[in-house]
Amino acid sequence: MSVAPHLRRIGGATALTLALVVLEAAWVLLGLRHVWSAPGLGWVPVVTTAATAAYACWRVSIRMDLAAATRRFWRALALACGVLTVGEISNMHDALSGPEPTQYIGPLTLGLLVVVVLILIWAMLRLPVRQQGRGDWTRFALDAGVLLITCGGLLWRLWLHTGGEWTRQNLAMLAVCALAMVSVTALVKVTFAGTAELDRGALNILAAGVAVAAGCGALSPAFAEHPHLTTSLLSGPLACLATVIAARRQLRAAAEPAGDRRPGLRFSILPYVAVAAMTAMLLAGESDDGPEELTVALCVAAITALVVIRQISALRDNTRLLATVDANLTQLRDYQAELDHQISHDALTGIANRQRFAEQVTAMLATGEPFHVAMLDLDDFKVINDRMGHGTGDALLRTVSRRLHESLRPQDSVARQGGDEFTLLLPGLDDEAAARLMRLVLDRVQEPLSLGGSDLEPRVSIGVTTARAGDSPEELIRRADVAMYAAKNTGGGRCTWFDPIMDQLADADAKLATDLRHAIARDELFLLYQPIVELPHGRLAGVEALVRWRHPEHGLVSPATFIPLAERNGYIVELGRWILREAVRQATEWEREYGENAPEKVSVNISARQLREPGFPAEVADLLRSSGIDPYRLVAEVTETAVLGTGEALDAVRELHALGLRIALDDFGTGQSSLSLLVDCPVKVLKVDKSFVDGVTGSSAQAVIVDGLIGITEGLQIEAVAEGVETADQAYRLHKMGYRLAQGFHFARPMAGEDIALLLSVPAEIPRTVPQI
């Protein structure tokens, strides 16, 4: 991203300072050959540049987008430049107050310069310093040694060996040494200061400016015969120009996004500058000693230059290598970030997974703020997978994930727990607001959609719980899960809030489930048989086996209670196996005792879980062989939901049909009804659900459906059985529509096998028959 145009241009303060420095340099150079009649004019740029530097630093210090430590540093620098401005004015007074211009520096000026130095040192020492390693300290020690040796050599060569000639400049030399201390401090900060708070480039410019200013003291011999000139005319403006440029650099760095700034290589130019300075001093000294010494000095200088060039070449190679390493590290970090994302996010939907959601809930619990957790589950998702394929199921999961994101607030979180379960984290809402949000989520997720050419109306069940003190992520998810299953058990397509009584009911269910597992061994289960009769006369045509449970404590437990319980805990397989064996035993006994008068069909309900059980058809085949019963007398009743699609359940149904069993489609019209199922599945009996039979006596839609179904079954040569017939009027209307088989309380309630045997032993109709037609 490019820097703002107004920052890329040279600012007014920078242009003014640069012009004044050029003007001052020209003034000094011309002054070496010409004595100015108004030497005070030469001090005007000195004072002005110091004031301009103070203004530039102050502008940076008031930028609120900079860190506090950065603003504090530039505020101290502005103060130092302000004091320097006063010091330059005092220095000008020292130089011009006598009858002749002089290079004298008075005590006040010297004191002000010392204050400037102290402020600079204080400001730099307060900068944040990053952690240092042994290599960092070694490099610093080497650089410091190079600096001390170079400065010592220059001082000896230019000043100390001249003896008394420089006695009058002792105070000036002290000022120069003080500036050298500032330069050393600046270099220390360049080497050791972190770049997070202060721009490293700005700090480098400051250090270079102070070092150049200190180095101007080396020009003192050139001004010995020019009392109207002084090194202060160069050192001050140069240091102030560097300060203004550094301030400009800091403002540009603040305007750049953090991602656009690359850390520079930690390269110190100091050793090479020192080598160049000492080599120049060596050549200058040896030039007066004769050609032999000068030749040796030139050879030393040439070898030194070659070594430096070789080091710089190696440095460039290392720089390229480091760039390659840096690129590889960046790629590795990208891979690591991608891996971290894969670990904490669901691969199918791209949202957070169970582990990530638990971390988010843990973080919310640590804050102590109120929040809610919701569990969302798709109703009948397995039916969609089996009927339309897993590709459609995956597409539905992605759609639900997207709709959840669209419905929730930015601060909310959604995760996939696995399968078709999603969890929601809802911070900062009271119960009423959370309930409103859940209604919006429910409406949005359940909107109709089209996937793979099929129209779907997804239904979801949601359970919600409120976080309490002492909760854990596992406990919150458990409570939301309990509430979600409560929503499912009441019909689905709704949102239910957790209530402590649900735990009590769950505990009761768990105890009941344990008792159910022992019910067979304790001989607590038994079968009843509900007659299926022929219309209109009511002759017995068959029976349907219905399981009952006589609990030792609770008495008779409704099948509506323990059958779903067995479905949930997987005991339905063992329960179904017992029901099938018991029904076959009873049918075999009737067949052996009553022969052709035995019930023509004995219907047994087969669960979806049984159909998916490996080896189930083979188990039925073994039972048929061992019992010797005619397979055609046995009817396997399955639901639409159990056999939708082309999975193992439908294959099992086809194998049962191949064994000779008749297949009955139970509760037709209550599940994911599809007429194609009547073609794909080898159905021989269609049982019309009671919810449709209830409306046959009127002109309702149910009556129209019941009337239409009889035409379909006759065309497909399928027997139709009307379930749940409770009145004579219903039986009459069903017979008029064309139904020839029915069952319900109007004819007989479920009865024990012994009672069915009594009916079989008397060649008479069941007492309750339909009215005369």
Side-chain angles (χ1 to χ4, degrees):
M1 186 179 293
S2 61
V3 182
H6 72 280
L7 287 176
R8 297 186 69 90
R9 297 193 301 266
I10 298 178
T14 306
L16 174 63
T17 307
L18 181 60
L20 290 174
V21 169
V22 173
L23 179 63
E24 187 67 19
W27 174 276
V28 171
L29 290 176
L30 292 175
L32 293 175
R33 297 181 177 275
H34 173 76
V35 178
W36 298 106
S37 59
L41 294 177
W43 286 91
V44 173
V46 178
V47 176
T48 305
T49 54
T52 305
Y55 168 74
C57 295
W58 174 79
R59 282 189 60 201
V60 179
S61 69
I62 61 175
R63 283 287 294 268
M64 299 308 297
D65 55 337
L66 295 175
T70 302
R71 297 198 306 272
R72 183 176 63 241
F73 173 80
W74 287 100
R75 192 161 49 245
L77 212 59
L79 176 61
C81 290
V83 175
L84 179 62
T85 303
V86 178
E88 297 291 12
I89 295 175
S90 175
N91 194 5
M92 180 178 66
H93 178 268
D94 294 337
L96 303 177
S97 60
E100 296 291 337
T102 180
Q103 298 176 354
Y104 172 71
I105 299 177
L108 177 60
T109 302
L110 188 58
L112 291 173
L113 293 178
V114 170
V115 170
V116 171
V117 172
L118 293 177
I119 293 175
L120 287 175
I121 294 175
W122 172 75
M124 291 183 180
L125 291 178
R126 294 191 67 189
L127 283 175
V129 178
R130 63 179 175 84
Q131 186 69 32
Q132 302 304 314
R134 179 178 299 178
D136 295 317
W137 286 108
T138 301
R139 284 187 291 271
F140 165 66
L142 292 174
D143 285 347
V146 170
L147 180 66
L148 291 176
I149 293 173
T150 303
C151 290
L154 291 173
L155 285 172
W156 177 85
R157 180 68 177 86
L158 298 176
W159 296 331
L160 299 181
H161 82 290
T162 58
E165 182 181 352
W166 293 98
T167 303
R168 293 177 300 174
Q169 299 300 323
N170 284 338
L171 292 178
M173 283 196 301
L174 289 176
V176 172
C177 291
L179 291 176
M181 289 178 57
V182 176
S183 177
V184 172
T185 306
L187 289 172
V188 171
K189 295 309 294 184
V190 168
T191 306
F192 289 94
T195 60
E197 300 291 343
L198 187 65
D199 181 69
R200 180 177 289 275
L203 196 57
N204 283 333
I205 294 171
L206 283 173
V210 176
V212 170
C216 286
L219 299 176
S220 293
F223 296 97
E225 299 178 357
H226 306 280
H228 59 287
L229 299 177
T230 174
T231 54
S232 298
L233 297 177
L234 292 178
S235 60
L238 289 173
C240 292
L241 176 62
T243 303
V244 172
I245 296 174
R248 189 72 178 174
R249 170 63 183 258
Q250 182 67 67
L251 291 177
R252 288 183 58 183
E256 294 177 354
D260 291 348
R261 299 196 296 269
R262 295 182 177 271
L265 290 173
R266 298 180 59 202
F267 168 66
S268 176
I269 198 174
L270 175 63
Y272 303 100
V273 173
V275 168
M278 294 302 293
T279 302
M281 185 180 69
L282 175 64
L283 293 175
E286 295 300 325
S287 62
D288 298 332
D289 296 337
E292 295 182 2
E293 288 77 3
L294 180 59
T295 300
V296 173
L298 287 173
C299 291
V300 171
I303 293 174
T304 302
L306 292 175
V307 171
V308 168
I309 293 173
R310 188 179 185 280
Q311 282 193 335
I312 293 176
S313 176
L315 179 63
R316 292 182 61 187
D317 293 339
N318 291 338
T319 301
R320 286 192 292 269
L321 178 61
L322 287 174
T324 303
V325 172
D326 182 65
N328 291 336
L329 288 176
T330 301
Q331 188 176 17
L332 182 61
R333 284 191 292 269
D334 293 340
Y335 287 153
Q336 182 64 43
E338 182 179 355
L339 181 61
D340 291 342
H341 184 274
Q342 292 177 355
I343 292 174
S344 60
H345 288 74
D346 177 59
L348 176 64
T349 61
I351 62 177
N353 59 15
R354 178 185 304 177
Q355 175 184 347
R356 177 58 181 157
F357 186 79
E359 294 172 355
Q360 292 172 331
V361 174
T362 301
M364 278 300 304
L365 288 170
T367 65
E369 298 178 359
F371 66 96
H372 297 79
V373 169
M375 173 79 76
L376 181 147
D377 185 86
L378 286 166
D379 298 335
D380 298 326
F381 178 70
K382 186 182 184 307
V383 174
I384 296 174
N385 256 346
D386 291 344
R387 181 180 177 185
M388 302 180 181
H390 290 279
T392 301
D394 291 346
L396 178 59
L397 291 175
R398 287 191 290 266
T399 300
V400 170
S401 172
R402 186 183 70 253
R403 288 182 172 183
L404 287 173
H405 270 296
E406 294 170 354
S407 305
L408 297 176
R409 305 167 300 160
Q411 62 267 42
D412 299 329
S413 301
V414 58
R416 183 183 176 203
Q417 289 291 303
D420 58 337
E421 288 185 343
F422 296 83
T423 45
L424 313 177
L425 177 61
L426 314 172
L429 292 175
D430 56 28
D431 289 350
E432 184 178 351
R436 286 197 302 269
L437 181 58
M438 287 298 95
R439 285 194 292 271
L440 291 174
V441 169
L442 198 64
D443 293 342
R444 178 71 179 99
V445 174
Q446 295 189 148
E447 290 178 0
L449 72 155
S450 179
L451 290 176
S454 301
D455 295 330
L456 296 176
E457 293 185 9
R459 285 169 54 85
V460 295
S461 298
I462 303 177
V464 188
T465 185
T466 305
R468 302 188 298 237
D471 276 339
S472 65
E474 294 78 12
E475 171 62 17
L476 282 167
I477 294 175
R478 185 197 68 80
R479 293 205 304 263
D481 188 59
V482 169
M484 182 268 292
Y485 274 106
K488 274 187 175 296
N489 293 336
T490 52
R494 66 193 66 199
C495 178
T496 301
W497 285 71
F498 175 80
D499 190 289
I501 196 172
M502 292 178 181
D503 273 342
Q504 299 175 19
L505 295 175
D507 292 341
D509 280 352
K511 186 177 184 307
L512 199 62
T514 302
D515 293 342
L516 181 60
R517 289 185 176 277
H518 301 289
I520 295 177
R522 295 171 179 172
D523 198 23
E524 296 171 0
L525 298 177
F526 61 95
L527 293 184
L528 296 179
Y529 301 88
Q530 186 172 31
I532 301 172
V533 302
E534 294 180 358
L535 298 179
H537 44 72
R539 187 180 68 84
L540 182 66
V543 294
E544 179 181 357
L546 302 172
V547 66
R548 296 293 184 265
W549 180 19
R550 185 179 289 107
H551 193 278
E553 297 179 10
H554 306 297
L556 285 176
V557 180
S558 170
T561 298
F562 70 84
I563 294 297
L565 191 63
E567 291 276 7
R568 290 197 297 270
N569 64 18
Y571 189 64
I572 191 67
V573 174
E574 184 63 29
L575 179 61
R577 182 180 292 117
W578 180 87
I579 294 172
L580 182 61
R581 286 201 306 264
E582 185 65 19
V584 169
R585 181 198 64 78
Q586 181 66 76
T588 303
E589 183 178 316
W590 285 333
E591 186 179 44
R592 184 173 57 251
E593 185 170 351
Y594 299 104
E596 294 182 356
N597 290 330
E600 181 185 347
K601 58 176 73 72
V602 177
S603 297
V604 181
N605 290 282
I606 307 296
S607 70
R609 185 72 175 270
Q610 283 179 277
L611 293 174
R612 297 195 304 270
E613 189 73 11
F616 176 70
E619 184 180 328
V620 174
D622 291 341
L623 183 60
L624 293 175
R625 281 193 299 270
S626 63
S627 65
I629 191 176
D630 182 3
Y632 189 76
R633 195 179 295 274
L634 199 60
V635 179
E637 291 195 10
V638 298
T639 62
E640 306 165 78
T641 302
V643 294
L644 275 176
T646 57
E648 61 270 21
L650 184 56
D651 293 338
V653 168
R654 289 168 177 163
E655 291 185 48
L656 293 178
H657 178 261
L659 292 175
L661 278 71
R662 283 180 284 183
I663 306 300
L665 203 56
D666 196 16
D667 300 331
F668 188 79
T670 59
Q672 301 284 337
S673 297
S674 174
L675 293 178
S676 64
L677 190 60
L678 300 178
V679 178
D680 297 334
C681 186
V683 178
K684 293 302 179 181
V685 180
L686 183 68
K687 304 191 76 172
V688 182
D689 189 69
K690 180 182 183 300
S691 61
F692 295 101
V693 173
D694 287 342
V696 298
T697 56
S699 57
S700 63
Q702 289 94 327
V704 176
I705 294 174
V706 173
D707 192 24
L709 285 176
I710 192 64
I712 295 174
T713 55
E714 288 178 351
L716 295 175
Q717 297 182 343
I718 296 174
E719 291 183 352
V721 180
E723 293 186 295
V725 180
E726 296 183 347
T727 67
D729 195 16
Q730 288 176 345
Y732 176 79
R733 294 294 298 273
L734 287 168
H735 182 263
K736 294 294 289 183
M737 289 178 178
Y739 283 84
R740 295 296 177 262
L741 296 171
Q743 72 180 97
F745 286 177
H746 172 64
F747 306 107
R749 291 179 178 272
M751 58 185 68
E754 294 81 0
D755 295 331
I756 295 293
L758 291 176
L759 296 176
L760 297 175
S761 62
V762 179
E765 297 175 349
I766 296 177
R768 299 191 64 182
T769 59
V770 298
Q772 187 66 35
I773 299 176

